[in-house]
Amino acid sequence: MKLGVIGYGARIQYVISEVMKQDPSCQIKSIVDIRKDKIREELRQQGLENVQLYETAEQMLASERLDGVLIGTRCSLHTSMALKVLPTGIPLYLEKPVSTTMEDLLRLKTGYKASRSQVVVSFPLRLTLIVQLVKEIIDSGKIGTVEHVQAINNVTYGRVYFQNWYRDENETGGLFLQKATHDFDYINYVLGLQPTSVCAMTSKQIFKGSKPAGLKCVDCEDNRSCSESAAFRTDLDPSWQSCCYAQDTGNEDSGSVLMRYPTGMHASYSQNFFVQGDAGARGARFMGHKGTVEFDFITGKVKVFMHHTPRIETYEFSSNAGHFGGDTELARNFVDVMRGTAASISPLEDGLSSALLCLKAKESAETGSFQSVYWEGF
């Protein structure tokens, strides 16, 4: 099967490698990227000299007969590129967030409604063995109806959002759209519910400062004493070495959200971007009257606490695969979608809902108000 790629970045290259593992007959047929010369050289070094490079998505879509298209551009272009692919009916793999503004989100929803394409959104966490087990336990009724959720994401590599292009909020749309979109998706997937209202708060306490805009770590007089200095890290591209204490550093460095559901229950979620080492954590507690199930992706453990008997069940998982194995499942599903043998198990409807929730959380944090989660104009 022939793949077209719009935005040939590191993330989508990894996804493509997973797709090829699932079906070795898959091959990159064409690429659209503004870095044509650099990518041509990279492809040559990989022995991929028959890949066609195009200036625009329109040119590629008009010239090639493709079995699937993968979009891996920077986040602000996800919507506009998806709207070029959707009318073709070609299966689409779309990176998250599907949109970074409410205007784009509404355009994408309208375009999708009128389209013929199956879309697989990059939401791998819902497909991990851990989340699948948690959902199985909850759906069995073992802990009773879930009446409260507490979720956290303490990110130990948070500096990436302040030291490279992610620092530009015009690209990211804020860190709810970058990180929480994954967590909101798996929470709502497990519950089988969508929130009706949301309130949120963000703060920027660490990654701020008076260093001049545009300063690179390598040019900073404090690069030998700064705990965040990337000046001497050979594993980082120089473009990732901007000062995270400069005046032009965007993004909040922590945020919290409360979500109300139609049943009356609520969930809390909190994310942090300056913890380090063993302080990292990502997971949730789902609490019913009969019991609680909790998990942490980093430790690979799921625990079930029964409230009325002295019993704790523990399950342990081991996986070094991308996104805890979820990327493999998404790749397998995308291959099946291209073959025409399956429907998307991470559809655009869920990508739209998660992005809407993130945008409403962002608006809540900016205005200090509760926000209803509904589709304006639909």
Side-chain angles (χ1 to χ4, degrees):
M1 291 187 288
K2 298 176 182 178
L3 307 177
V5 186
I6 304 175
Y8 192 62
R11 167 64 186 162
I12 212 68
Q13 289 181 47
Y14 175 76
V15 172
I16 292 168
S17 72
E18 288 292 315
V19 168
M20 290 178 171
K21 287 178 184 177
Q22 298 304 313
D23 186 345
S25 73
C26 290
Q27 57 181 301
I28 302 173
K29 184 66 170 61
S30 54
I31 294 173
V32 178
D33 198 295
I34 59 174
R35 304 165 301 139
K36 283 180 61 176
D37 292 339
K38 182 178 180 181
I39 289 173
R40 184 176 286 109
E41 177 58 24
E42 290 177 357
L43 293 172
R44 188 190 66 78
Q45 293 176 6
Q46 297 168 21
L48 302 173
E49 299 189 30
N50 294 323
V51 178
Q52 297 296 316
L53 273 72
Y54 290 91
E55 295 283 351
T56 68
E58 290 90 343
Q59 290 174 348
M60 180 183 77
L61 294 170
S63 303
E64 303 284 353
R65 293 180 62 85
L66 300 170
D67 296 290
V69 176
L70 301 95
I71 293 177
T73 61
R74 289 190 178 183
C75 305
S76 62
L77 294 176
H78 287 174
T79 290
S80 59
M81 293 299 111
L83 288 172
K84 297 178 190 299
V85 178
L86 288 173
T88 69
I90 301 171
L92 171 63
Y93 186 100
L94 180 60
E95 265 300 331
K96 62 81 199 169
V98 299
S99 301
T100 57
T101 68
M102 187 63 73
E103 178 184 10
D104 274 358
L105 191 66
L106 293 172
R107 288 199 302 128
L108 184 57
K109 183 174 174 65
T110 301
Y112 179 56
K113 188 176 180 180
S115 78
R116 299 178 291 115
S117 290
Q118 280 258 14
V119 183
V120 176
V121 177
S122 186
F123 278 151
L125 294 188
R126 61 161 59 192
L127 301 177
T128 60
L129 291 173
I130 290 175
V131 170
Q132 289 295 311
L133 174 61
V134 169
K135 183 169 177 59
E136 177 185 326
I137 291 169
I138 289 172
D139 288 349
S140 74
K142 185 171 188 170
I143 68 167
T145 303
V146 175
E147 302 296 356
H148 193 195
V149 181
Q150 298 168 339
I152 60 170
N153 185 9
N154 294 328
V155 184
T156 59
Y157 54 88
R159 61 168 63 90
V160 70
Y161 296 103
F162 307 95
Q163 290 185 304
N164 78 340
W165 66 265
Y166 284 106
R167 66 199 271 122
D168 184 354
E169 288 180 277
N170 292 323
E171 289 290 348
T172 65
L175 296 187
F176 288 141
L177 280 165
Q178 290 302 308
K179 297 302 289 182
T181 187
H182 277 305
D183 303 274
F184 291 164
D185 177 70
Y186 83 68
I187 291 169
N188 296 334
Y189 169 75
V190 168
L191 294 174
L193 298 169
Q194 294 291 333
T196 57
S197 62
V198 62
C199 71
M201 185 177 296
T202 62
S203 55
K204 187 175 177 67
Q205 297 294 96
I206 303 297
F207 295 122
K208 59 183 180 179
S210 58
K211 295 288 186 180
L215 180 66
K216 297 289 187 180
C217 288
V218 69
D219 300 317
C220 179
E221 61 183 8
D222 298 323
N223 62 23
R224 291 189 177 277
S225 58
C226 175
S227 60
E228 304 296 336
S229 175
F232 306 103
R233 291 185 59 181
T234 58
D235 60 321
L236 293 181
D237 186 282
S239 64
W240 288 44
Q241 298 180 8
S242 296
C243 177
C244 57
Y245 299 113
Q247 295 171 344
D248 59 342
T249 300
N251 295 321
E252 70 275 15
D253 51 33
S254 62
S256 299
V257 181
L258 291 175
M259 297 171 281
R260 179 179 288 128
Y261 288 83
T263 62
M265 64 86 71
H266 78 276
S268 66
Y269 169 81
S270 189
Q271 60 183 20
N272 177 282
F273 296 90
F274 54 81
V275 300
Q276 296 289 320
D278 291 342
R282 191 174 199 178
R285 275 191 160 208
F286 293 84
M287 289 162 275
H289 182 239
K290 293 193 290 185
T292 291
V293 56
E294 72 171 24
F295 74 92
D296 189 312
F297 284 119
I298 295 177
T299 64
K301 291 184 179 180
V302 176
K303 290 185 178 182
V304 183
F305 304 86
M306 300 311 296
H307 293 171
H308 304 109
T309 59
R311 190 173 86 228
I312 300 174
E313 299 172 10
T314 301
Y315 304 82
E316 295 191 42
F317 294 85
S318 177
S319 175
N320 294 320
H323 281 108
F324 315 101
D327 284 327
T328 299
E329 295 305 313
L330 278 179
R332 181 178 292 118
N333 181 232
F334 187 56
V335 168
D336 290 341
V337 169
M338 288 191 290
R339 287 174 177 158
T341 59
S344 172
I345 55 178
S346 184
L348 187 53
E349 289 90 344
D350 292 338
L352 293 166
S353 295
S354 180
L356 175 63
L357 181 54
C358 291
L359 288 166
K360 288 295 185 178
K362 181 181 179 183
E363 184 176 354
S364 171
E366 291 172 347
T367 61
S369 62
F370 274 87
Q371 292 292 314
S372 295
V373 182
Y374 68 96
W375 288 104
E376 300 174 17
F378 285 87

